[in-house]
Amino acid sequence: RHARSRNYVTESEVCKLESVPLDFGDYHPLKPITVTESKTKKMNRKGSTSSTSSSSSSSMMDPLSSVLDGTDPLSLFAAAADPVTTTATMDSTRKKRDKDDSSAVGSDFEPWSSKRGEILARYTTTEKLSINLYMGSEKGKATTTGSAVSEKVRTRLEELDDLEEGSQKELLNLTQQDYMNRIEELNQSLKDAWSSDQKVKALKIVIQCSKLLSDTTVIQFYPSKFVLITDILDTFGKLVYERILSMCVDSRVSLPDNFSPECVNDTAKETCLNWFFKIASIRELIPRFYVEAAILKCNKFLSKTGISECLPRLTSMIRGIGDPLVAVYARAYLCRVGMEVAPQLKESLNKNFFDFLLTFKQIHGDTVQNQLVVQCVEIPLYLTLYSPAIDWILQCIAYRAPEVLLTEMMERCKKLGNNALLLNSVMSAFRAEFIAARSMDFIGMIKECDESGFPKHLLFRSLGLNLALADPPENDRLQILNEAWKVITKLKNPQDYINCAEVWVEYTCRHFKKREVNTVLADVIKHMTPDRAFEDAYPQLQSIIQKVITYIHDFSLLFSVEKFLPFLDMFQKENVRVEVCKCIMESFIKHQQESTKDPVILNALLHICKTMHDSVNALTLEDEKRMLAALINGFIKMVSFGRDFEQQLSFYVEARSMFCNLEPVLVQLIHSVNQLAMETRKVMKGNHSRKTAAFVRACVAFCFITIPSLSSIFTRLNLYLHSGQVALANQCLSQADAFFKAAVSLVPEVPKMISVDGKMRPSDAFLLEFLCNFFSTLLVVPDHPEQGVLFLVRGLLNVIQDYTWEDNSDDKVRIYTNVLHLLSAMTQEAYIYHVDKVDSNDNLYGGDSKFLAEVNKLCETVIAQILDHLKTLGKEETLKRQSQLALYFFNTILAHGDLRNNKLNQLSVNLWNLAQKHGFADTKTMVKTLEYIKRRSKQPEMSHFTDLALRLPLQSRT
């Protein structure tokens, strides 16, 4: 007998940690920790008296930082040693000041930058454009005699005259992209001229760009042109401001954040004035206005009231611009600059808007009408060109404005005839709560608008966007929906219709129930089905589905909406249909709190999951497959028929037939069926009736025929093992044997390399892990009466022996060592664990001598294999592996072997010496192992360890 006898109960008691009573008092692991800092100061060397002060602080304080009193000695040292730090400090101060200036308005104010991309994308043209590029001028280069003062004055005057007379090159027939590229080139030229100290050239470039804003020959492109040109103006304004700011630095100390003009030195003030004088000499109104507005912030250097005085003057200047479109964008730019530099000066912004209202009738004047006829532009399209500018002006005015002002502005808009454009901008710019509270008033104003100018459906769309953000009075909600839908349902153009309906679906879902939602969906189907109009409106239809599932989380209610599934049928394009199905499944998994067996939900979601599954083909990416499988698995996990286990199994069988192309779904179904079998066992408390035994066998059969269809070999191995354990727990012994035999027969097919997360890795480590788990299970598997002793263990050992292992791998020996652990456990009178109501070999054989003899033979065979492998590692390059394996085998014998057996005792001594023979053993490990043996020798019945310890020498590396 090679294995030592074990009393697992006694060993467990000995190995238990000693329990110590603990008085928690006020202690709680989640309670904040109090850090106490103690400072001790010695009074003198002779005396032993000391004074101690303690201070307690919250756990939020850092005890290390508090000791430093907020100073970091390394930073202080670096600051003292490096003079460049001063410049860096100035730069950081400047950045902080810029940040403070930009954050003068709150985060709830939508910045211009967020609108820029939308305008460029919306206002495009296919017509050819032209641009005048500044080419420089040779004027003023000749020298003349005279005093220095008169020379300076003459040069200045010539430069100022040349501001608008430099040679120009007109580029014609540019596409929109070419035009945008040229503008970008001008922007870069401005930066290059500035960096090379050619300030006048930079100003000329800005003037030429500003002149482009007076050109409306391609009128539908004007909003995008405004965006591009004002980018250059913003760059120029920033460069000028930073240039003057840099001149204010005195003794390397920058200006404070909120500096006053008194802090600015004379040189900086003179330079600032010089810029304003240069700009004042520009003859044309539009470039003079835009360039001065660009450097409006520089007034801070001259006087405290500079900006507040300039804003009304610039507002009045705009009255001189004749074209109403050009004028309204000039007002928008002034509002934009004003909000950046002086958001508190709302009076000027209000005056700007009221000026616009006074000139609003110009839009419908003869001059504009003639221009539109020449350019073949319809009035509705022309009016939409105003929207970005008016929206921005109103947004600036409405920002944190009192209700009184908003009401006054609304009343002024009412008084203007044909005010649809203004009304649309008011609804876009004002707070949603303000609009929602007056919804019926706005509907009345919309009804009075002239249909020919600005389409009413756009007005209703704007109103709907506000009502999606804020709730109208409860009593008005149904009337609002009826009034809006009367207009929307009459729209003949499918694109106009769906753009409006998309917005109002959210309002319907938010405030109404199933009947109204069904009516709206039916109307959408009615409008979008003729001529397959839905094919051009997939984004809007997707948005409608998203809004419906956002507000309806009860899926039994959702799928009982009669028109919901017919609505889904409009998604004929496969990739769009799959995306919609994914959205629905994500919502179900997120919001379905309890498992369901509702047939309405199950049928609908099975159809949706089937749609996702059928989209998988050979070209589908692995990530996409994983996502679809995860959604389907989420659905499968949420289905429960309670105690009706047969119905549950039927569902799993149906799901297997529907989702056979997604391997993760099949894996989930196998796990679910195994769980179902274990739930049955739990209900029956392990005592199966004839009916439940037959049901469990059906579950086992489901798993047995499903596992071979999987492609991943380790998934199959683990599922065979897992399903075998479930079969064993349910007393299905022959079925358990079938699973384990299948696993044994599959081991030879394990490839040398497997794919893990897209990378090829050796499979040895995964096989070793699986076999260790398998051995743990085989301990409790009873032998088959017709197959002989340990037939599964013998079969597995034969497979391991025949398997081709890597030349530099020792995993085979490690597996054999684990087999010895198993065989040692099998010789015990009572096994360490059992399966309830299953008799393992300890009960079947009852310690029979023939059985123990068979186990010992197996042990000798395995030990022989291990020793043969150790001999093959005798070469110089493998001596380290030999040392490690020898010590590993020694520890196995020490833990599981009966060392009173002389042969085993001598083998352990030989292994100990072999581990140290060539100096590769870890001395610390050897010392600790020897100490452990000596401790064990003091225990009862372990006296033979004393002799063993004497025979185990410690050798040094030398």
Side-chain angles (χ1 to χ4, degrees):
R1 179 183 171 90
H2 298 314
R4 70 182 178 90
S5 297
R6 308 282 293 272
N7 187 328
Y8 293 117
V9 176
T10 306
E11 288 184 29
S12 176
E13 291 295 330
V14 170
C15 294
K16 274 184 180 178
L17 294 174
E18 184 183 356
S19 58
V20 179
L22 178 62
D23 181 16
F24 285 98
D26 292 333
Y27 169 77
H28 188 279
L30 300 181
K31 193 175 180 181
I33 300 168
T34 301
V35 178
T36 303
E37 176 198 340
S38 298
K39 297 179 182 179
T40 304
K41 181 181 178 183
K42 293 184 179 179
M43 300 301 291
N44 50 50
R45 289 188 178 181
K46 294 180 180 179
S48 60
T49 310
S50 64
S51 63
T52 304
S53 63
S54 296
S55 61
S56 295
S57 62
S58 164
S59 60
M60 299 302 290
M61 287 185 64
D62 177 4
L64 298 179
S65 298
S66 62
V67 172
L68 295 172
D69 295 328
T71 58
D72 177 0
L74 296 179
S75 299
L76 291 175
F77 175 76
D82 187 4
V84 179
T85 308
T86 312
T87 309
T89 305
M90 286 160 43
D91 290 341
S92 64
T93 305
R94 180 178 301 172
K95 287 177 183 175
K96 183 175 183 296
R97 179 169 49 245
D98 291 344
K99 183 180 178 182
D100 290 343
D101 288 342
S102 65
S103 63
V105 290
S107 57
D108 54 336
F109 183 80
E110 186 180 3
W112 173 260
S113 56
S114 65
K115 298 177 180 292
R116 183 182 180 280
E118 181 186 344
I119 294 172
L120 290 174
R122 181 179 175 188
Y123 297 96
T124 58
T125 183
T126 54
E127 294 187 33
K128 298 300 181 182
L129 302 160
S130 63
I131 187 172
N132 291 327
L133 289 180
Y134 171 72
M135 303 300 293
S137 172
E138 298 300 318
K139 268 191 173 186
K141 295 294 174 74
T143 56
T144 57
T145 58
S147 66
V149 176
S150 61
E151 178 66 24
K152 183 177 179 181
V153 171
R154 183 180 290 106
T155 304
R156 280 274 178 86
L157 290 172
E158 288 177 351
E159 283 180 349
L160 294 174
D161 286 340
D162 193 35
L163 285 180
E164 300 167 87
E165 295 173 4
S167 59
Q168 299 174 14
K169 178 182 178 182
E170 186 174 15
L171 299 178
L172 304 172
N173 297 323
L174 297 176
T175 64
Q176 178 180 322
Q177 189 58 49
D178 291 337
Y179 188 91
M180 294 172 73
N181 292 340
R182 294 292 181 273
I183 294 293
E184 183 54 39
E185 287 174 14
L186 283 173
N187 201 355
Q188 190 57 47
S189 298
L190 167 65
K191 294 175 184 176
D192 293 342
W194 192 272
S195 60
S196 59
D197 207 29
Q198 297 180 343
K199 303 295 189 293
V200 173
K201 180 182 177 182
L203 181 57
K204 290 175 183 177
I205 292 171
V206 176
I207 292 171
Q208 292 299 328
C209 290
S210 303
K211 284 183 178 180
L212 296 174
L213 290 174
S214 61
D215 175 24
T216 57
T217 48
V218 184
I219 201 162
Q220 61 267 38
F221 184 65
Y222 191 85
S224 292
K225 183 199 288 188
F226 170 79
V227 169
L228 297 170
I229 300 298
T230 51
D231 282 351
I232 297 177
L233 289 166
D234 292 342
T235 301
F236 176 72
K238 186 177 180 182
L239 290 171
V240 173
Y241 183 82
E242 289 182 350
R243 161 72 177 154
I244 298 171
L245 188 65
S246 66
M247 300 172 70
C248 299
V249 177
D250 188 18
S251 302
R252 295 188 178 178
V253 177
S254 59
L255 288 176
D257 293 341
N258 297 313
F259 65 88
S260 63
E262 290 77 18
C263 303
V264 180
N265 58 44
D266 293 341
T267 306
K269 284 184 177 179
E270 183 181 353
T271 305
C272 187
L273 280 169
N274 189 29
W275 276 110
F276 281 110
F277 291 153
K278 282 180 181 177
I279 292 166
S281 67
I282 300 172
R283 286 194 293 269
E284 291 188 28
L285 172 62
I286 290 177
R288 184 167 74 249
F289 165 80
Y290 273 106
V291 180
E292 183 175 354
I295 67 164
L296 181 66
K297 190 176 180 181
C298 295
N299 279 285
K300 291 170 66 176
F301 298 109
L302 300 176
S303 70
K304 290 181 179 179
T305 58
I307 294 175
S308 58
E309 291 170 357
C310 280
L311 276 173
R313 179 172 56 79
L314 289 171
T315 302
S316 300
M317 283 172 66
I318 300 174
R319 295 175 181 174
I321 301 175
D323 189 313
L325 185 65
V326 177
V328 78
Y329 275 93
R331 296 184 191 282
Y333 186 67
L334 187 60
C335 285
R336 184 169 132 202
V337 175
M339 284 300 285
E340 287 177 6
V341 301
Q344 71 279 7
L345 299 176
K346 283 293 188 70
E347 296 80 7
S348 297
L349 300 181
N350 297 344
K351 182 174 182 289
N352 194 359
F353 179 68
F354 292 141
D355 273 7
F356 165 71
L357 291 182
L358 293 173
T359 57
F360 183 72
K361 57 188 177 185
Q362 285 182 313
I363 293 176
H364 304 284
D366 293 340
T367 307
V368 172
Q369 298 299 325
N370 294 336
Q371 185 184 17
L372 297 183
V373 170
V374 171
Q375 296 199 34
C376 301
V377 175
E378 298 291 333
I379 188 71
L381 174 61
Y382 174 70
L383 290 178
T384 59
L385 301 178
Y386 284 80
S387 293
I390 300 175
D391 289 355
W392 178 257
I393 294 170
L394 285 168
Q395 180 186 324
C396 294
I397 294 171
Y399 180 64
R400 295 181 180 174
E403 292 272 321
V404 177
L405 176 64
L406 300 181
T407 307
E408 180 192 350
M409 293 178 67
M410 191 172 132
E411 292 300 322
R412 290 204 181 197
C413 293
K414 274 185 183 179
K415 293 176 183 176
L416 291 172
N418 196 13
N419 60 350
L421 171 65
L422 274 177
L423 194 56
N424 190 62
S425 293
V426 164
M427 288 189 288
S428 300
F430 281 19
R431 290 193 299 273
E433 294 80 8
F434 179 87
I435 304 295
R438 298 162 177 77
S439 300
M440 292 308 299
D441 292 343
F442 277 98
I443 286 176
M445 293 167 68
I446 292 171
K447 284 181 176 180
E448 294 171 6
C449 288
D450 182 3
E451 182 72 34
S452 62
F454 197 93
K456 283 186 181 179
H457 68 85
L458 292 182
L459 297 175
F460 273 108
R461 186 177 190 278
S462 297
L463 179 60
L465 288 170
N466 280 284
L467 296 180
L469 299 172
D471 298 334
E474 191 169 348
N475 296 334
D476 296 340
R477 289 174 185 174
L478 183 58
Q479 188 179 354
I480 290 168
L481 179 61
N482 289 334
E483 293 290 347
W485 211 260
K486 279 180 193 174
V487 176
I488 296 169
T489 196
K490 290 177 183 176
L491 293 172
K492 303 297 182 187
N493 185 315
Q495 205 59 40
D496 291 343
Y497 171 84
I498 197 64
N499 284 336
C500 238
E502 172 203 356
V503 173
W504 282 88
V505 163
E506 182 169 4
Y507 174 79
T508 309
C509 295
R510 183 167 173 159
H511 297 297
F512 298 98
K513 295 186 178 177
K514 170 182 165 181
R515 186 170 67 88
E516 289 80 6
V517 173
N518 190 59
T519 303
V520 169
L521 293 181
D523 196 60
V524 174
I525 295 171
K526 177 184 170 184
H527 277 79
M528 301 308 294
T529 305
D531 301 324
R532 298 178 69 85
F534 53 77
E535 292 182 344
D536 299 320
Y538 283 139
Q540 292 91 335
L541 294 174
Q542 276 183 272
S543 175
I544 288 174
I545 288 290
Q546 189 65 55
K547 286 166 181 172
V548 170
I549 61 179
T550 297
Y551 287 96
I552 302 179
H553 297 158
D554 182 349
F555 280 80
S556 60
L557 175 65
L558 176 66
F559 292 125
S560 67
V561 174
E562 185 183 345
K563 295 297 180 180
F564 184 75
L565 290 177
F567 191 94
L568 292 182
D569 292 337
M570 286 197 292
F571 295 98
Q572 303 279 313
K573 195 174 179 181
E574 187 181 60
N575 63 329
V576 179
R577 185 168 69 247
V578 171
E579 284 300 317
V580 171
C581 291
K582 281 160 65 175
C583 285
I584 295 171
M585 291 309 302
E586 285 169 1
S587 178
F588 174 79
I589 292 168
K590 180 179 178 181
H591 298 294
Q592 185 73 20
Q593 301 296 326
E594 298 176 353
S595 54
T596 181
K597 62 178 181 179
D598 187 328
V600 175
I601 295 179
L602 296 189
N603 290 331
L605 290 184
L606 277 173
H607 170 71
I608 288 169
C609 289
K610 178 68 173 166
T611 301
M612 295 193 300
H613 169 269
D614 292 348
S615 70
V616 174
N617 54 43
L619 300 178
T620 306
L621 297 174
E622 287 301 318
D623 282 349
E624 179 70 9
K625 287 182 184 178
R626 273 196 293 272
M627 181 183 294
L628 295 177
L631 293 173
I632 296 173
N633 285 344
F635 163 59
I636 290 171
K637 290 175 187 175
M638 293 302 297
V639 176
S640 173
F641 290 88
R643 286 290 185 90
D644 191 349
F645 292 159
E646 291 182 351
Q647 184 68 32
Q648 189 83 35
L649 183 59
S650 298
F651 170 77
Y652 291 144
V653 171
E654 183 183 0
R656 180 179 62 185
S657 66
M658 294 178 73
F659 309 126
C660 55
N661 290 335
L662 286 173
E663 192 162 302
V665 178
L666 294 179
V667 172
Q668 177 59 47
L669 288 171
I670 293 168
H671 284 306
S672 296
V673 171
N674 279 328
Q675 185 179 357
L676 188 61
M678 295 306 290
E679 285 179 6
T680 308
R681 177 181 180 274
K682 183 180 178 182
V683 169
M684 300 302 294
K685 297 180 180 177
N687 299 309
H688 284 297
S689 64
R690 181 178 296 179
K691 183 178 180 181
T692 58
F695 174 76
V696 167
R697 285 195 292 271
C699 292
V700 170
F702 175 99
C703 298
F704 192 75
I705 63 174
T706 307
I707 292 172
S709 63
L710 304 176
S711 61
S712 170
I713 193 160
F714 277 103
T715 302
R716 274 185 282 161
L717 282 171
N718 286 310
L719 285 174
Y720 274 134
L721 178 58
H722 181 73
S723 301
Q725 291 166 345
V726 171
L728 197 62
N730 284 282
Q731 300 119 52
C732 302
L733 301 184
S734 59
Q735 286 84 353
D737 281 349
F739 278 115
F740 298 140
K741 284 179 183 177
V744 170
S745 63
L746 192 59
V747 169
E749 299 178 22
V750 174
K752 297 292 175 291
M753 304 290 286
I754 58 172
S755 176
V756 179
D757 296 332
K759 296 180 181 178
M760 298 306 292
R761 301 281 173 82
S763 62
D764 291 359
F766 297 96
L767 183 57
L768 177 62
E769 180 185 1
F770 166 74
L771 290 174
C772 289
N773 290 336
F774 200 0
F775 295 146
S776 300
T777 303
L778 290 178
L779 174 64
V780 293
V781 177
D783 283 342
H784 194 283
E786 299 174 3
Q787 298 286 348
V789 177
L790 302 181
F791 74 101
L792 283 173
V793 177
R794 292 177 186 276
L796 188 54
L797 284 173
N798 291 333
V799 167
I800 294 168
Q801 176 64 29
D802 297 337
Y803 188 79
T804 307
W805 299 88
E806 293 290 334
D807 294 336
N808 60 346
S809 171
D810 298 319
D811 287 331
K812 183 177 180 181
V813 173
R814 296 184 186 278
I815 290 170
Y816 279 145
T817 310
N818 280 293
V819 171
L820 291 177
H821 301 169
L822 168 64
L823 296 174
S824 170
M826 282 183 162
T827 62
Q828 305 303 318
E829 290 183 12
Y831 290 172
I832 189 170
Y833 48 81
H834 292 87
V835 176
D836 189 33
K837 295 183 174 58
V838 174
D839 289 330
S840 298
N841 286 337
D842 57 341
N843 291 325
L844 292 179
Y845 292 108
D848 183 69
S849 57
K850 290 182 181 179
F851 172 72
L852 296 178
E854 289 290 335
V855 174
N856 286 336
K857 282 182 185 178
L858 270 180
C859 284
E860 289 172 359
T861 305
V862 172
I863 289 172
Q865 291 282 346
I866 294 173
L867 294 177
D868 287 344
H869 185 82
L870 285 172
K871 287 177 185 177
T872 63
L873 298 178
K875 298 175 185 177
E876 186 175 348
E877 62 272 15
T878 56
L879 290 176
K880 184 174 182 180
R881 286 167 53 198
Q882 185 189 58
S883 172
Q884 291 172 343
L885 282 179
L887 184 60
Y888 183 62
F889 189 22
F890 172 82
N891 286 328
T892 295
I893 294 174
L894 193 63
H896 299 279
D898 185 359
L899 290 172
R900 288 174 293 194
N901 181 300
N902 292 331
K903 287 184 179 180
L904 207 55
N905 194 301
Q906 185 58 46
L907 175 60
S908 64
V909 173
N910 293 341
L911 289 170
W912 176 269
N913 293 329
L914 180 62
Q916 299 184 100
K917 185 175 180 181
H918 300 286
F920 287 104
D922 180 33
T923 307
K924 287 184 179 178
T925 304
M926 305 301 282
V927 170
K928 287 182 179 178
T929 305
L930 194 54
E931 288 175 355
Y932 167 75
I933 294 171
K934 290 175 180 177
R935 284 200 306 272
R936 288 289 302 275
S937 66
K938 297 176 182 177
Q939 295 177 5
E941 300 182 7
M942 289 292 177
S943 58
H944 57 285
F945 269 44
T946 305
D947 298 332
L948 178 64
L950 295 174
R951 299 176 65 197
L952 300 178
L954 281 174
Q955 298 176 5
S956 65
R957 286 181 179 273
T958 57

